[in-house]
Amino acid sequence: MEFLVTMTTHVPDGTTDDAVDQVRGREAAHTRELAAQGHVLRLWRPPLAPGEWRTIGLFAAAGPAELERVLASMPLRVWRSDAVQPLTPDRNDPAPGASAPDRPGAAAEFLVRFTPAVPEGTPPGAVADAEAQEAERARELGRQGQLVRLWRLPADGGGVTPALGLWRVAGQPELEAILASLPLRDYQTTQVTALTPHPSDPAAPGSRPSAPYDRPAG
């Protein structure tokens, strides 16, 4: 299973800089171990307010219990709170090896949350037609290396199931053009989070787990 974890750190008042540096050093070393074990797939920094310390991580584990053991083993957990979102691959998730991570000029990454919002009065079958076109467009974007991953998030309180996409593009203008080209653009809202690499980001092979956490076939 894969999980998106938002990790927010609050260092207690009075903690010395030396103590913080020691914990951060142990965290970096342990993160490398977890990456080698296949648990830490990616780490990013989202936009931060002054003094804010927050990291977004893509993790793989056999289930929630194992993920909690992984998170609890990280030295910064003593000062950190974790918000976990389980992820399931969307049916339009690019196949392994379909994307091109070394696409020239694709230096920026973004997470985009897609929430279904079908306008009242939409003709029957219009959304189904758009979904079929969206699947083809997703395959094209995956082959081009712009769409790296696509997941389903848990349903919200109203029973709506959002999707979450990881994109690798040249910058915000390219992403906006892509989102405007999606066949489902009129039937969903988008929330974009710009990402910058975390110093401990494993980076390669990218954003997909290796055995034993691969998604099942079918």
Side-chain angles (χ1 to χ4, degrees):
M1 293 181 64
E2 294 171 273
F3 301 86
L4 193 74
V5 184
T6 301
M7 300 172 279
T8 304
T9 301
H10 298 282
V11 178
D13 292 340
T15 305
T16 66
D17 290 344
D18 183 61
V20 172
D21 289 343
Q22 288 185 29
V23 175
R24 293 183 76 167
R26 296 201 305 272
E27 178 86 357
H30 188 53
T31 298
R32 288 192 292 270
E33 295 175 0
L34 293 174
Q37 294 167 9
H39 291 299
V40 177
L41 303 179
R42 295 297 307 276
L43 291 174
W44 301 279
R45 293 281 193 212
L48 300 175
E52 189 177 17
W53 188 349
R54 191 157 47 95
T55 299
I56 296 176
L58 179 62
F59 286 75
E66 183 179 48
L67 176 68
E68 174 56 27
R69 289 194 293 271
V70 168
L71 296 175
S73 74
M74 302 176 76
L76 274 173
R77 186 68 180 276
V78 296
W79 297 330
R80 201 182 71 202
S81 60
D82 298 327
V84 176
Q85 292 180 294
L87 304 172
T88 55
D90 185 89
R91 60 186 176 184
N92 294 331
D93 183 31
S99 60
D102 296 326
R103 192 170 64 90
E109 290 184 301
F110 297 85
L111 284 174
V112 181
R113 180 187 176 104
F114 300 93
T115 303
V118 179
E120 189 174 348
T122 299
V127 175
D129 290 344
E131 288 176 341
Q133 296 170 29
E134 186 91 355
E136 178 57 36
R137 180 67 173 137
R139 286 191 290 270
E140 178 186 6
L141 293 167
R143 290 192 297 267
Q144 294 171 355
Q146 293 154 314
L147 178 58
V148 181
R149 295 297 311 275
L150 190 63
W151 302 276
R152 284 287 163 182
L153 293 166
D156 62 20
V160 175
T161 304
L164 183 70
L166 173 61
W167 301 81
R168 185 175 294 129
V169 293
Q172 186 90 29
E174 183 180 22
L175 178 67
E176 291 176 355
I178 290 171
L179 297 181
S181 76
L182 297 178
L184 282 173
R185 63 187 178 278
D186 295 330
Y187 305 118
Q188 60 190 7
T189 62
T190 57
Q191 179 182 348
V192 177
T193 301
L195 304 171
T196 56
H198 188 281
S200 297
D201 179 27
S207 307
R208 194 174 293 277
S210 57
Y213 306 111
D214 282 332
R215 59 182 174 176

